[in-house]
């Protein structure tokens, strides 16, 4: 199982960024997927979930209305569109597989860093 | 979606057993058995140790065990080894179909 995130970088407050996560070594279409972030010196924070077919999504209150999770099963890829970014959104963003449901993250990517700064 | 409560740090000696606590509410830990534990070494992604309160992912050491009573979950590590020094996070499904992590406990193996 391999998950590889990309798309992180430096962005100004109020800006937007789109993260990608490509999966391999497993049946991507059967897996629930999530985005989890970790701010500097902080613990992980779950931010979003998407069902295997992409029809059901959930968000943490901290990002609801600003972030959008999506997936393209044909490309075995997961996405996170982040808008209205704030300094507090700074951190490492991980995609994580939840193979069986119930938010059990059995596989994680290496993470992609996002820095929101003027 | 308030974070679950974990002690900031604990320490123990090699060979000892240590138990971490994780306190939530009746809206998360107390509401069901979808409680997980993760281990994180510096500069690494978290690793799933325990899921559904007591279950191990395939291939994981049985030195790790989990339990739950009411709104509090616990992780026990037996036979501490130097490589167990890491941050440990609990996590729980919530009644609003989202999930929440704990603030984490840093384990120091003396």
């Amino acid at each position: 199982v391999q998950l590889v995130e990309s798309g992180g970088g430096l962005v100004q407050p109020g800006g937007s960024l789109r993260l990608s996560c490509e999966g391999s070594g497993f049946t991507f279409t059967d897996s629930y997927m999530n985005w989890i972030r970790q701010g500097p010196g902080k613990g992980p924070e779950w931010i979003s979930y998407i069902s295997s077919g992409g029809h059901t999504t959930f968000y943490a209150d901290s990002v609801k209305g600003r972030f959008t999770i999506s997936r393209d099963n044909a490309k075995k890829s997961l996405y996170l569109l982040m808008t209205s970014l704030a300094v507090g959104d700074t951190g490492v963003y991980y995609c994580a597989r939840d193979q069986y449901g119930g938010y059990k993250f059995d596989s994680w990517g290496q993470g992609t860093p996002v820095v929101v700064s003027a | 979606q308030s974070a679950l409560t974990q002690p900031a740090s604990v320490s123990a000696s090699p060979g000892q057993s240590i138990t971490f606590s994780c306190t939530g509410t009746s809206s998360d830990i107390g509401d069901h058995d979808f409680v997980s534990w993760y281990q994180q070494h510096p500069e690494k992604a978290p690793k799933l140790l325990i899921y559904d309160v007591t279950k191990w992912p395939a291939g994981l050491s049985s030195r790790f065990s989990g339990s739950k009573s009411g709104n509090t979950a616990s992780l026990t590590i037996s036979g501490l080894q130097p490589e167990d020094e890491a941050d440990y996070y609990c996590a729980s499904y919530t009644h609003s179909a989202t999930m929440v992590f704990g603030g984490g406990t840093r384990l120091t193996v003396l």
Side-chain angles (χ1 to χ4, degrees), chain B residues 37-79:
Chain B
W37 289 89
Y38 296 86
Q39 177 192 61
Q40 186 177 32
H41 288 107
E43 307 305 318
K44 298 288 188 181
K47 173 185 175 182
L48 180 65
L49 292 179
I50 294 284
Y51 68 94
D52 293 354
V53 179
T54 61
K55 298 177 182 177
W56 296 289
L60 208 73
S61 169
S62 60
R63 293 190 301 110
F64 301 95
S65 61
S67 63
K68 190 188 88 164
S69 177
N71 297 337
T72 300
S74 300
L75 171 72
T76 297
I77 309 176
S78 59

Side-chain angles (χ1 to χ4, degrees), chain A residues 36 38 42-46 58-62 64 94 100-106 108-110, chain B residues 1 34 36 38 40 43-48 51-52 89 93-94 96-103:
Chain A
I36 296 158
Q38 191 164 21
K42 297 182 179 180
E45 178 191 12
W46 171 84
F58 294 111
Y59 298 91
D61 289 344
S62 58
K64 198 175 295 183
Y94 297 98
Y100 302 111
Y103 295 108
K104 297 180 274 285
F105 308 126
D106 61 297
W108 298 60
Q110 84 288 350
Chain B
Q1 293 170 347
F34 291 147
S36 304
Y38 296 86
Q40 186 177 32
E43 307 305 318
K44 298 288 188 181
K47 173 185 175 182
L48 180 65
Y51 68 94
D52 293 354
Y89 297 96
Y93 183 86
T94 77
S96 57
T98 60
M99 67 88 61
V100 63
F101 282 96

